[in-house]
Amino acid sequence: MSKPRILVTRRVPRECLDLLKQHVDVEHYDKATAIPRGLLLKTAADKDGLLCLLTDKIDAELLAAAPRLQAVSTFSVGYDHVDVPACKARGVAVTNTPGVLTESTADFTWALLMSAARRVVEGDAHMRGGKYKGWDPLLLLGSDVSGKTLGVIGFGRIGQAVAKRAGGFSMRVLYHDTKRASSDVEAALNAVFVPLHELLRESDYVSVHTVLDAGTRHLLDDRAFGLMKKSAYLINAARGPIVDEKALVRALKSERIRGAGLDVYEWEPKMAPGLASCKNAVLAPHLASATLETRVKMGVMAAEGLIDGLVRKTRSPYRVD
Ligand code: GLV
């Protein structure tokens, strides 16, 4: 019997491909940039499975163009780019890569927070630009982290891992989510559930870890920035459109808030006009899970999800629906 045929839509770790090739016939768009939409639609036409990325929209148009499709595995924990109800209606199984990137994403959130608060990137530019003339009591003053208040929006796996690290900085932790965590989790993380407006008013660092959906799009807008302390920082390593990026640029430029650390963008890979010139923002190119170890684990998990659906014909533990 011939093997199922799949498309891998981007360059991925070797371990991912090696595993796939043991079970399925692989066509590989082995590039560092996203597969053009027209080519994706064309290439998916005779495929049973897709191993895709968060830059590939899996929607009704794609499903119509790929009548043989049985499984879609996204090399990401987020799956807002996949129309899951449409896939379900067509009997297409959707899997993602939960859990394996929690710690690296939480670590990177802290890297952004510390870099923004302590002006690491500006300091680096200062040195490389030959501007350093010796120790100066008033040079590049940042904000304390230890002992401050961290507000976590979205208290799932990653939000909780971020909160856990705050213990090491003796921080007060507030959180907001659509549903409250168990009292055991709250006690273990020393985290207090508060309404969003209270979190925004009280926090020195507001860190976003919610999913992107209709309820969270532009959750952080002009009004939210108006509620935040002028001394506060916004950190976003979740999804760009949760933040109204034009409003953020206004808030950063007018010093309505003190700074930001961003890993994701509303119109990724583009940035809102003016953001690149905001010195009080630390900007990263969607790197939160980008460690060698984590990306290999994600690749293997993404491959396993697809193999579960196409070859083992079992319900994958990584199914999202
Ligand atoms: C990255 O953003 C992911 O969802 O894995």
Side-chain angles (χ1 to χ4, degrees):
M1 217 172 76
S2 63
K3 288 179 179 173
R5 305 175 68 176
I6 71 148
L7 170 67
V8 176
T9 65
R10 187 80 72 87
R11 65 176 183 177
V12 290
R14 188 182 38 76
E15 290 81 350
C16 172
L17 281 178
D18 287 351
L19 177 57
L20 286 168
K21 284 178 182 167
Q22 290 172 30
H23 299 272
V24 293
D25 280 338
V26 178
E27 183 167 338
H28 191 193
Y29 186 78
D30 189 12
K31 300 263 166 61
T33 51
I35 185 168
R37 179 73 180 172
L39 186 58
L40 172 63
L41 295 176
K42 192 163 152 245
T43 320
D46 62 348
K47 300 298 181 296
D48 305 296
L50 283 183
L51 191 135
C52 70
L53 275 84
L54 52 88
T55 42
D56 305 316
K57 235 184 167 12
I58 308 300
D59 54 8
E61 183 188 33
L62 184 285
L63 291 172
R68 295 172 54 103
L69 205 61
Q70 293 167 48
V72 171
S73 180
T74 182
F75 188 118
S76 60
V77 67
Y79 51 88
D80 47 281
H81 55 295
V82 181
D83 184 340
V84 177
C87 287
K88 203 175 163 129
R90 256 279 318 274
V92 174
V94 181
T95 52
N96 68 340
T97 62
V100 287
L101 44 62
T102 302
E103 304 304 328
S104 51
T105 301
D107 290 347
F108 194 78
T109 301
W110 275 91
L112 284 176
L113 190 157
M114 297 297 280
S115 304
R118 301 304 307 272
R119 306 180 69 172
V120 175
V121 177
E122 286 174 90
D124 182 275
H126 198 77
M127 291 304 295
R128 291 175 201 271
K131 292 188 187 144
Y132 184 47
K133 303 294 178 232
W135 194 82
D136 171 359
L138 299 185
L139 178 65
L140 289 175
L141 301 184
S143 294
D144 275 340
V145 174
S146 293
K148 295 283 187 76
T149 298
L150 173 70
V152 179
I153 301 177
F155 211 54
R157 275 182 296 254
I158 296 171
Q160 290 181 22
V162 168
K164 186 174 171 194
R165 286 153 174 74
F169 293 94
S170 309
M171 294 176 91
R172 177 164 79 119
V173 178
L174 306 177
Y175 79 94
H176 182 75
D177 204 324
T178 46
K179 80 174 200 298
R180 204 169 156 168
S182 71
S183 49
D184 286 354
V185 168
E186 289 186 350
L189 299 174
N190 213 2
V192 177
F193 178 84
V194 289
L196 183 59
H197 62 87
E198 193 175 324
L199 181 150
L200 293 169
R201 276 202 193 102
E202 295 271 320
S203 299
D204 300 299
Y205 299 93
V206 172
S207 196
V208 181
H209 301 286
T210 181
V211 295
L212 170 64
D213 61 21
T216 61
R217 188 172 293 273
H218 283 195
L219 190 65
L220 281 300
D221 56 5
D222 278 313
R223 196 178 148 273
F225 298 128
L227 291 175
M228 285 170 66
K229 293 181 185 179
K230 277 191 81 169
S231 55
Y233 292 77
L234 175 77
I235 312 299
N236 186 8
R239 282 292 181 268
I242 300 167
V243 174
D244 177 345
E245 203 167 296
K246 288 184 181 159
L248 176 62
V249 172
R250 286 193 286 278
L252 288 169
K253 286 210 182 287
S254 63
E255 296 183 11
R256 180 62 204 75
I257 64 171
R258 178 121 194 242
L262 304 176
D263 192 39
V264 288
Y265 304 89
E266 187 167 358
W267 301 280
E268 211 167 311
K270 293 196 175 75
M271 285 184 282
L275 183 57
S277 63
C278 291
K279 287 213 170 112
N280 48 354
V282 172
L283 306 173
H286 209 143
L287 292 179
S289 66
T291 66
L292 191 56
E293 300 93 323
T294 295
R295 288 286 164 86
V296 168
K297 287 182 200 154
M298 290 170 74
V300 169
M301 188 179 265
E304 290 286 358
L306 208 50
I307 295 162
D308 285 341
L310 293 178
V311 182
R312 299 187 186 114
K313 304 273 186 199
T314 54
R315 188 182 162 84
S316 175
Y318 318 129
R319 279 279 286 268
V320 304
D321 55 335

